[in-house]
Amino acid sequence: MRVSGKKMLLLLVVLVGLLFAIGGAVVWWMMQQPMFKPGTVAQRTDLTPVGISDDFWEVAPDVKLKHFSTGEGRNILFIHGGPGIPTMASAPGFDLLSDEYRVNYYDQRGVGRSTRPFDRFPAEDSTWTKIQLLESTLGISQQLADIERIRKLLGDDKLILMGHSYGALLASLYAAEFPENVDKLVLLNPADLLIFPSGNKGLFENVRELLPERDHKAYDKWQRRYLDLGQVFKEDEASLQQLDADFLPYFIKATGDTIKGAPPISQDLFGSWYTRAQFFGLGRRHDWSKHMGNITADTLIIHGDKDFQPLAVSEIYEDAIPNAKLERIEEAAHFPHFNNPKELAGKLRPFLNK
């Protein structure tokens, strides 16, 4: 099944929404603590990559990351969002920088054409064992470790790091974990997950309010299954991918044609186990804003005034990160790199060149 560019972008929104309103009957969940601990990745001893093989970065003996690049010049590493949706083609907003910069895209582990270690979990294992295996393999710590391994493969002492939505959260966490390894940091509409819960209204609640009342019963049934982590390990990845995609008709009916522009993607490339791994890393309650004080890189935050997230979300990052500057694009929504290329490039080039 192929999903249109518009629907793919909508799916990015719903997967972020997963991280706003999940429940589940597991013991760990009652603890409410994130499994990711800032400051622990830099202490690891397994951050040396294997090498490069064709179009793959071999970041570990059993993990290959699909990558491609466009442009010539200094490297930029782009961290995609979703969480769990790969970038299938270069973004027009970044192509406008191709005369001076080489933009490197990659599918994060567990996503797209990169190594995807899980389909279904053994029924005999306990829920806690499954959670630990999933999170330790695909969770936040491994994603940050992979960025450090990629830096070494690119041969850069300091990265120009650019993240979108959930990828902006990962980029921020990396820059705080390895401040000496980041020269410049760009955050495009960063996800409302630096402090969780943030106090802002969740995506699913907003959609329900906008749906006709006749759709509420079906929507509520979908949402109960979607948010039931106590049953998630009974699923395989294909069923989770379908469950993630089933949100799209509700979102379109509630909000209309508000997102467009990205290239199409096959549904079977969605990293649905990856998405759940991120949730366990985030936990039900955390505040990583103080950790952002470690960041030494000049930071540019881009906010689209028509984004589904309020300006206050980007301001949280601006307040937390030293040397951060917030720029707004009036006509942009959540994906300025696809839909507002000239305006975005006009913000990026002077920041990157200074």
Side-chain angles (χ1 to χ4, degrees), residues 7-71:
K7 289 186 176 181
M8 188 275 281
L9 291 175
L10 295 180
L11 187 61
L12 290 172
V13 175
V14 66
L15 294 181
V16 169
L18 173 66
L19 306 175
F20 279 83
I22 282 191
V26 295
V27 174
W28 175 87
W29 176 250
M30 300 303 294
M31 295 167 61
Q32 302 191 13
Q33 298 300 312
M35 296 181 76
F36 170 68
K37 303 297 182 184
T40 59
V41 181
Q43 301 171 8
R44 294 174 59 154
T45 59
D46 61 345
L47 298 178
T48 301
V50 175
I52 300 175
S53 174
D54 296 325
D55 295 330
F56 290 88
W57 287 324
E58 295 188 57
V59 293
D62 56 349
V63 180
K64 296 182 179 182
L65 306 181
K66 176 70 174 180
H67 72 94
F68 67 95
S69 64
T70 59

Side-chain angles (χ1 to χ4, degrees), residues 301 310-320 326 328:
I301 303 167
L311 177 63
V313 174
S314 293
E315 290 175 335
I316 291 173
Y317 285 81
E318 181 187 25
D319 292 341
L326 175 60
R328 298 164 66 176

